[in-house]
Each structure stands twice: as structure tokens, then as C-alpha cells.
Amino acid sequence: MAPARKKFQVGDRTLTVSNLDKVLYPETGTTKADVIRYYLSVADVLIPQVTGRPVTRKRWVDGVGTAAEAGDAFFRKDLEDSAPDWIPTGTIKHKSGTNTYPLAEEPAVLAWFGQVAALELHTPQWRFGRNGQPRNPDRLVLDLDPGPGTDLTDCATVATWCREILEDMGMPTYPVTSGSKGIHLYAALDGRHNSEQISDVAHELARALEADHPDEVVSTMKKSDRTGKVFLDWSQNSASKTTVSPYSLRGRLRPTVAAPRTWGELGDPELAQLEFDDVIARVEEGLDPIANLGADRLETYRSMRDAAKTSEPVPAHKPADTSGTDDLSFVVQEHHASSLHWDFRLEHAGVLVSWAVPKGVPLKHNVNRLAVQTEDHPLEYGSFEGTIAKGEYGAGEVSIWDAGTYEREKWRDDKEIIAVLHGRKDGGLKGVPRRFALIRTKGMNGKNTWLLQLMKDQPGDGNGPAPEAGERGEKGSPSAGGQDPGDVPALSDIPAPMLARTGSEADIRLGKGDGETWVAEMKWDGYRMLAGVGTRGVVLASRNGKDMSTQFPQAGELAELLEGTGILDGELVALDAEGRPDFSLLQAMLSGDDVPDDAELRYMVFDILTHNGRSLIREPYRERRKILTEVLDEGEYVTVPPAHEGSLEAAIRASRALGLEGVVAKRADSVYLTGQRGSAWIKLKTQLHQEVIVIGARDGKGARAGGIGSLLVAVPDGDGELRYAGRVGTGFTDRQLAEIEAKLRKLERKTPPVDDVPTEDQADAWWVRPTLVAEVTLAGRTRQGRVRQAAWRGWRDDKDPDEVRWEV
């Protein structure tokens, strides 16, 4: 009897299916209907990964069988003769002939793959161009495969080593647990190099890691060499090779998925492969860690605007990935264009996802407002107010109706979004947290239409009444709320600072090639501190959140120097007689030691995060600097150092002349990403400094007999595991050695806190708990992960051990 066939609608397509109750994964009872459901559920995040790529399918028409990789499975390149005629195709000429591949660019194609039991979807690292020919690859991939005696957590360790190298090359890296045994790593490419060149780079990276970690990594294809090691397969960058796509199912015993993961997840000792229901739940919650791989969500926005003619922000760069941040922003702008409407914008994946709401934000229950989704906008647009010139797209007046932060409860692209908005006290929401839903509706006239509604269930009790319909907030500065601006701010009100990533001059030159403007600041040799300034006092917070107010009470003058209140970012430095920063002198001054009379403490302020309750973190860097210089006067202990907008080379020469450790280049249009290491701030070092954790000491000989001869130090690897990093034997004064010994003796332990200290370095050694961070200068780092020619600089009481990572 022929199987019963059914028809159902997927978007505008009618699909014929059969045998929906056929079990494809016997161990879990997962049916063909479940497979189709999965692919439709993840279509919004899977399609961007496969669009434009030829899809090779691995099919299990009778299910996966009774053992992994078993069952009657086969690869299929050509589109099946039974396929619907609306599935687009691309052709590739091989030596053996020409194949016609399907292209998966809409959910219905994925559903059809499920119908024919195509469980695995494999694609190359390139896409077809407009001429139908393969383009250069737009991504690099590394396949980390655990050999006998290793597991997924070993792959995660190697993945972090790969990430360090790739991100030092300016290539953000995205991990995917493969759904089989290992991990895939992806990094975006700019398309300027062909597959052969990218394969060579990946091969060299694999060889370098094998040389640095010969006991953990192997890069050769010989299977007998893989026992106890992770095989780093670089070969899938070949133009003729494919890799299972992110979000593809796998043909294993259970319905596992090649699942994109966050780097935080890779540090979990219980890391495991995910199954399809786990992935559906993650997607429904709006989690798509690989969303920004190669994507430029602002391409449409830029194509509709001329930066020379509009006053709107038009950044030349791709948006940074903000998928891991908790401080998500929203803005609602009143837009008097050809017709009055309100622009409702939510931060997601590094942009402001935007809707035009003709009748305004609903402020009563049971009211649905049409919301037409428009192009994504840059985060900088969150503070935009002004006039868009006549003749330009959206010409008219724009003002902020309300703005602030929001909590994302659910984010299902093209389906449903639920968010709790926290606006200004003087904004359109009257400072009351409000819970909204956006529901996707069937498009009208080709438009991407949604319904915006105020939900019946609102957050908490005691928030006061919801604003009445028709009320509008007055335009003005947002209020931080909850604190009298004259009070001394609480330490908990001060956010973690934005951090810079280590880079090179090539990173800046590349940015300038894209039309970006960079500004250089000196890299001051001191303690990073954020200052919360009230009219009645000041609180200082170190980078790791410690209260430093008592160590530098002179900062109290900020209450007089700052116009109003705010949060400032800067560096506390000690200046010697020649006016040069001296890190050792800073430590001596903060600890109360005797110091030269002409030594000075100085707080170098280079950024402002809030002013009079108004958040400035979404303002571009250049605007924040302008505000800073307007509202902060210099004092006896406070300085606003200049920023250099000339050549980078000139700034580096100035840094060397001042004896500083380098410069920090900041993109002029960059926002302030609290607690994150953004690519918009790049530190270029002219001196090599490294933070280390002291784990022990060796007894001194000769002139140092009876005391410490050298310190033994460690640095966590990319997975956070502490690894031996060598010895530090110079740079100390006799007094410092005596003070260091007194400090370490209180932390003694019987055994070394790491298990990889060489035997020769353990002679005459005694050990301490790994709780103290120090800083050293060095000539570099050996292949074994040891400091080279390290010299002592001093303790870093402002740093926690879990912050320490290799910087060289």
C-alpha cells in the first residue's frame, strides 16, 4: 500500500509529505515529523549559515540504525528528481562531471530535506556569487577531533588556544559542538583570499599549535598518531571539502545537533553535545551565538544613507557582537517624517532591531498596534535626535520618546519577542517597567509586519499604575533612578570597565581602509579606576570592583571639579620627578612607604559613562570625550590627558618618548561596552608586561642567601586552568624581597598548586596558595609557555587571579 501523503503550507509553499510517524532515531523514538519540526523551528538561525552555499545531504532513509554511523546512509549532491521545482539550485563542475546542488534559502526547503530523511546538511566555506560561480571563502573552519584517550573537554582546551591565535589576528571565533565527538571553530573572512591560501593559514596554525603543545595536539592525518591527543583538522578549508553546517542534525544514535555555543559554555567541565530539543529551546530564548559570523547587519542601513548628507550615525564598521551582554538597550523615537510614527528599537546581536509603529506604543492592555519591521540600525542610533535633511531617507525631525535598558524574556526571529522595558522617569513610559510582546503576523503588501502589545502580566507589584494612553514623556536627559544625585554613589552602582584587546598597527590601518577614524590615547602605567562622583563625595572602584577610595582620598576633589554628578573612567598613576609614570612608585605611595618628596599621584580621566544621571555608554567615543572636557575641570590631582587624532605612528613615538608602555587606539564612533573586551579599543604595546600569579619561591644563594632567590609564577591557560609559567629572579630591591617573603609566608602550603613544574625548578622551592597577582616585564614567551627574561614590577592588588591571561 502506498504511504499516505499529506500537504501542508510552509510560508508561500505547499509541501507534500508522507510517513510522518516513521521513526528515524530508534533509541529516542524521534520521527520524521520531529525532524521536520526541528528544521522549521531553527530555520531563522540555520538559513543564514547555509544561504548561497551548495548543500550536500547525508540521508538515512531507513533511520540511523542500531549503532552510531550505522544504517543505510549515503551522501547526495545532486538535487533529487522528486524535489519541488521551486527549490533553487547551483552547479559545480567537478573532474568527474557537473553536479546540481540545492540551495536552502527558505524554511520550506529545510522541511523538504526532513521529508527525504536528509538529516545532515554539509556545506563548503564559500558561497555562490551573483554570476553563479564560487566566490572566495567567507569563513575559516577548524575541526577539533578527540583521539583515543581524550574527550570533549580536551577539545575545548585546544579550542581556547586556537581562539587566542585567531583573535590576535583580528578574527573573532565561534565554537560549535559538532554533535558527534568534537568541536568546530569558525572565524569570519573578508573574502580577499582564495581557499588554497586560507588552507595554508589553517595548516600553519595547526602546526604551530602542535609545536607549542606536542603532548596535546596533533595536526597530521595519520590516525595512529592521535592517541591521547586532539586532532586539529585544517583540511576542510579546501574548496572541494564540506563541513556539517551549524544547526544541522547529526546521524548519531540520538538526535544531536552541530550546536553553536558560547565561550563561557566551553569552560564548563560538564560540557556535552546538545540534542535537538535543547537547541530548539535555546533558539526560542533568542540565543544564537554564531549570528554575527560573517554577517554585516548594517549593510542595508548603510546602503540607504549617505554619511556626507545625513546627520544620522553611519558607522563604516560591522557591528560588534553583543549577544553575551546583560545591559541591552532600547529606544523609542518620535519621528515626524512624511507621516508621524514612532520607531521602536531593541538591541540584539550588536544592532538595534527596528519597527515603525504608526499609532505609537500601546499603553493599555488589549490594544494591538501595527509594527512594520524596518532595517537594523546601529547602536549609536539609540541617542540620535535631530533633523534628517530633506531629500534623504526618513527626512524629518527625530526626538527620543523614551530610552533605557530592557530584559529579554524571549526572542524568536520572525515569530515572537517578549521584553521588559525600563525607561526614563521623564520618558513616555514614566519610569515604570513595562512588559511588551511583538507578534509576527502574515505580511501585507510584502511588508514584514508585527503586532505590538502591552501584555496583561506586568513585572512585580508596587510599580505604580501604568501610564495612561496618549501620555508622552517630555524630551530630556534620562534618569538613573533610585539615587539622590547628591549622594555618594554606592560601589555596586559602578559598572565594570570596558577593556581593550591586544592588537597591532595593522588592525588600525585595516580599519582606516574601511573609512573608520581612530583616536590614540597614551597607555598609562597604573591602576585602572572608575570614579563615582556625587556632590557630597566620591567612591573609587578598581577594575575588579574593590573599593580604592581610602588609598586615594585626594580623588575627593572630583566632587568640586565635575559639573554635577557622574561616573568617570581613568587610570591612577604615580609621576616621578620628571613627570613620568612609575608603577613601582605607585605601589610604594599607596602602601605608605617612604617616597621622594617630588613624587605625585595623578588620576588620568579619559572617559565618562554617566553625567547627571544620563547614561552616555551608547554615545560615540568622540562625543563622550567632548562631554568630558566640557564638564570636568582639571585639579591638583585630576588630569584629562589629550587624545591624539593625528597619525598612529606619531602617537607611538610620543609614548616611547614618555617612557610609557604603549598606546590604546579607540574607534571614534565606538560605544562603551561595560565589562567587555571590545574590538573597538586596541592596545598596542611598546613594552611587554605580563600579569602572573605567584605560586612559590626558591631559596636564595650567595648575596641572597637566607631569603628569596626567585619567585615561581603561573598563568591560567585559555580554559582557566593554572599552568606553570617560569621564574622571576630580577627587578627586586632587597627591601622588596623581604616584604614579599613576609607576605608569602602567610600563604604557605605543602605542595605546588600546579602539576607541571619541572623537576629542576622544584629544587629548594616552597609553595604558596595561588591568590596573589603580580606584574612582570619580559622579553617574550617561550613555546613551552614560560616567561622569557622576566623582571619584577610589583603586585597587582587591583586584579583577581581569574582575570589573568597571557597577553604576549
Side-chain angles (χ1 to χ4, degrees):
M1 180 180 295
R5 293 181 173 271
K6 298 180 180 180
K7 292 185 178 182
F8 71 97
Q9 201 76 10
V10 182
D12 296 329
R13 306 296 187 185
T14 300
L15 193 67
T16 301
V17 298
S18 61
N19 291 334
L20 290 179
D21 57 352
K22 184 175 183 177
V23 175
L24 297 181
Y25 291 88
E27 184 167 305
T28 57
T30 304
T31 65
K32 182 191 290 188
D34 293 324
V35 169
I36 295 175
R37 173 174 65 89
Y38 169 74
Y39 275 126
L40 290 177
S41 297
V42 302
D44 292 333
V45 293
L46 193 160
I47 288 174
Q49 301 302 324
V50 298
T51 293
R53 305 184 197 274
V55 181
T56 299
R57 289 85 61 218
K58 191 172 184 181
R59 294 176 53 185
W60 278 264
V61 294
D62 294 319
V64 298
T66 58
E69 303 297 347
D72 188 16
F74 61 94
F75 281 98
R76 177 82 184 192
K77 295 182 179 179
D78 284 303
L79 181 64
E80 287 79 356
D81 293 338
S82 61
D85 58 9
W86 42 260
I87 295 181
T89 59
T91 58
I92 304 176
K93 291 184 178 180
H94 300 287
K95 291 181 180 179
S96 58
T98 299
N99 292 110
T100 301
Y101 295 80
L103 302 177
E105 301 187 353
E106 59 177 302
V109 178
L110 299 179
W112 184 78
F113 288 160
Q115 158 62 19
V116 297
L119 302 182
E120 292 188 0
L121 312 179
H122 295 250
T123 58
Q125 314 319 319
W126 52 266
R127 303 178 193 261
F128 285 112
R130 292 182 179 178
N131 60 0
Q133 297 301 307
R135 296 162 58 181
N136 283 339
D138 59 1
R139 68 189 187 193
L140 175 148
V141 67
L142 298 172
D143 182 3
L144 282 56
D145 187 18
T150 61
D151 57 21
L152 190 61
T153 57
D154 296 306
C155 291
T157 298
V158 176
T160 59
W161 297 337
C162 296
R163 180 194 188 190
E164 290 175 1
I165 296 174
L166 290 168
E167 295 201 349
D168 280 345
M169 295 167 64
M171 300 167 65
T173 310
Y174 303 83
V176 174
T177 46
S178 69
S180 179
K181 295 182 292 183
I183 292 173
H184 297 159
L185 291 182
Y186 291 92
L189 301 173
D190 58 16
R192 291 184 295 176
H193 304 286
N194 62 35
S195 296
E196 184 178 356
Q197 293 169 315
I198 299 305
S199 292
D200 289 343
V201 170
H203 195 182
E204 182 57 34
L205 184 154
R207 282 194 291 245
L209 273 177
E210 181 180 26
D212 283 346
H213 305 279
D215 296 330
E216 296 91 358
V217 178
V218 62
S219 66
T220 56
M221 299 293 174
K222 193 174 180 182
K223 289 187 177 181
S224 59
D225 294 339
R226 300 181 191 177
T227 300
K229 300 179 182 180
V230 172
F231 172 46
L232 207 166
D233 186 359
W234 49 271
S235 67
Q236 293 175 34
N237 294 284
S238 168
S240 61
K241 294 288 189 72
T242 62
T243 307
V244 68
S245 172
Y247 290 111
S248 171
L249 284 165
R250 301 305 305 266
R252 311 294 292 175
L253 280 175
R254 303 179 66 86
T256 53
V257 174
R261 310 296 287 268
T262 66
W263 281 104
E265 288 179 290
L266 257 64
D268 186 348
E270 303 298 324
L271 179 67
Q273 303 289 346
L274 296 181
E275 296 187 11
F276 78 120
D277 281 333
D278 302 320
V279 176
I280 290 175
R282 289 160 66 90
V283 171
E284 288 180 345
E285 292 170 359
L287 181 59
D288 182 17
I290 205 169
N292 269 19
L293 175 65
D296 184 358
R297 298 187 60 151
L298 296 180
E299 183 176 0
T300 301
Y301 175 89
R302 277 191 289 270
S303 71
M304 300 167 71
R305 290 162 176 83
D306 184 341
K309 296 180 180 179
T310 183
S311 58
E312 301 164 283
V314 187
H317 58 89
K318 290 182 180 180
D321 186 355
T322 61
S323 58
T325 183
D326 293 326
D327 189 19
L328 297 169
S329 63
F330 86 90
V331 65
V332 179
Q333 286 154 320
E334 189 172 325
H335 192 170
H336 292 262
S338 56
S339 61
L340 172 64
H341 64 275
W342 284 258
D343 293 314
F344 188 90
R345 312 189 196 278
L346 300 176
E347 178 181 346
H348 181 71
V351 297
L352 289 172
V353 181
S354 301
W355 294 262
V357 186
K359 294 188 177 181
V361 178
L363 299 177
K364 283 186 175 180
H365 308 310
N366 302 318
V367 174
N368 289 321
R369 293 284 167 82
L370 176 68
V372 179
Q373 189 167 2
T374 60
E375 73 278 8
D376 295 332
H377 282 51
L379 292 180
E380 294 87 345
Y381 214 96
S383 59
F384 175 69
E385 292 184 287
T387 302
I388 302 175
K390 186 176 180 179
E392 295 303 299
Y393 175 76
E397 295 293 326
V398 177
S399 61
I400 293 178
W401 183 82
D402 208 341
T405 61
Y406 80 94
E407 302 164 35
R408 183 172 58 202
E409 292 187 5
K410 182 180 290 188
W411 193 291
R412 300 177 64 193
D413 284 321
D414 289 336
K415 289 181 178 64
E416 180 184 18
I417 296 168
I418 298 177
V420 178
L421 274 55
H422 300 265
R424 308 170 176 175
K425 285 187 176 179
D426 61 351
L429 302 178
K430 301 298 183 184
V432 180
R434 295 289 87 184
R435 189 165 178 252
F436 288 94
L438 279 155
I439 309 296
R440 180 77 161 84
T441 65
K442 188 174 182 180
M444 295 181 292
N445 299 322
K447 293 183 177 179
N448 192 352
T449 56
W450 300 62
L451 293 177
L452 175 64
Q453 57 185 229
L454 182 70
M455 299 188 72
K456 182 178 180 181
D457 297 326
Q458 289 296 310
D461 295 320
N463 286 322
E468 291 299 321
E471 286 187 337
R472 298 183 185 177
E474 297 178 4
K475 193 170 76 171
S477 298
S479 170
Q483 177 183 296
D484 181 342
D487 293 340
V488 179
L491 191 67
S492 59
D493 291 335
I494 299 179
M498 181 174 175
L499 305 176
R501 74 170 177 86
T502 303
S504 66
E505 295 179 46
D507 295 309
I508 313 303
R509 285 197 294 272
L510 178 62
K512 285 183 177 294
D514 291 335
E516 294 175 350
T517 300
W518 292 77
V519 179
E521 296 177 352
M522 296 297 105
K523 192 175 188 305
W524 302 104
D525 197 6
Y527 281 169
R528 182 79 174 274
M529 289 190 186
L530 271 69
V533 184
T535 57
R536 302 174 189 168
V538 175
V539 62
L540 289 177
S542 68
R543 179 175 139 176
N544 58 353
K546 294 180 180 178
D547 191 338
M548 302 291 288
S549 306
T550 57
Q551 284 93 327
F552 183 50
Q554 299 95 325
E557 72 171 357
L558 283 167
E560 301 297 329
L561 299 174
L562 181 65
E563 179 186 305
T565 62
I567 296 176
L568 307 174
D569 191 358
E571 190 99 353
L572 180 63
V573 302
L575 304 180
D576 62 18
E578 297 181 358
R580 295 184 176 182
D582 186 320
F583 186 74
S584 298
L585 182 61
L586 173 63
Q587 292 203 315
M589 295 182 75
L590 293 181
S591 61
D593 293 345
D594 292 333
V595 296
D597 292 338
D598 49 8
E600 299 179 24
L601 284 175
R602 195 67 54 85
Y603 184 45
M604 303 289 193
V605 184
F606 49 70
D607 215 326
I608 182 167
L609 280 62
T610 70
H611 184 237
N612 288 338
R614 176 190 172 198
S615 174
L616 301 174
I617 63 173
R618 296 304 182 198
E619 295 283 350
Y621 163 82
R622 177 171 279 160
E623 179 63 19
R624 297 197 309 273
R625 284 285 305 195
K626 179 175 180 290
I627 293 171
L628 176 65
T629 56
E630 290 173 349
V631 302
L632 181 65
D633 293 329
E634 297 200 3
E636 183 178 357
Y637 300 101
V638 174
T639 298
V640 180
H644 298 258
E645 297 203 33
S647 71
L648 180 63
E649 292 76 11
I652 292 175
R653 286 197 300 270
S655 172
R656 289 196 174 105
L658 292 170
L660 302 179
E661 59 173 321
V663 301
V664 179
K666 299 182 178 181
R667 211 175 58 225
D669 62 352
S670 61
V671 299
Y672 192 100
L673 302 175
T674 59
Q676 298 184 61
R677 194 179 295 279
S679 60
W681 289 13
I682 298 178
K683 54 186 176 183
L684 301 94
K685 292 188 174 184
T686 55
Q687 301 177 17
L688 295 182
H689 296 167
Q690 174 64 46
E691 294 162 6
V692 295
I693 299 170
V694 177
I695 61 170
R698 293 184 67 181
D699 292 333
K701 295 180 175 64
R704 289 186 179 176
I708 290 177
S710 62
L711 297 178
L712 305 180
V713 298
V715 175
D717 61 19
D719 200 33
E721 184 175 351
L722 202 58
R723 297 289 186 182
Y724 182 63
R727 295 179 293 169
V728 183
T730 62
F732 309 101
T733 65
D734 291 340
R735 178 176 176 177
Q736 284 177 323
L737 283 173
E739 292 173 346
I740 290 169
E741 180 169 12
K743 192 169 189 174
L744 294 181
R745 289 294 182 185
K746 299 176 183 179
L747 301 173
E748 271 195 88
R749 54 179 283 168
K750 293 181 179 180
T751 59
V754 296
D755 57 9
D756 59 342
V757 181
T759 303
E760 61 270 21
D761 284 3
Q762 295 189 39
D764 301 323
W766 48 277
W767 311 101
V768 298
R769 298 197 301 274
T771 59
L772 299 179
V773 179
E775 186 171 296
V776 298
T777 61
L778 68 166
R781 177 185 176 188
T782 70
R783 283 188 174 271
Q784 292 74 35
R786 310 282 194 263
V787 293
R788 180 184 289 123
Q789 301 175 24
W792 180 259
R793 297 195 75 230
W795 295 111
R796 293 304 308 242
D797 296 328
D798 61 327
K799 302 288 180 72
D800 291 329
D802 59 4
E803 295 182 78
V804 176
R805 289 294 186 275
W806 280 109
E807 295 190 37
V808 298

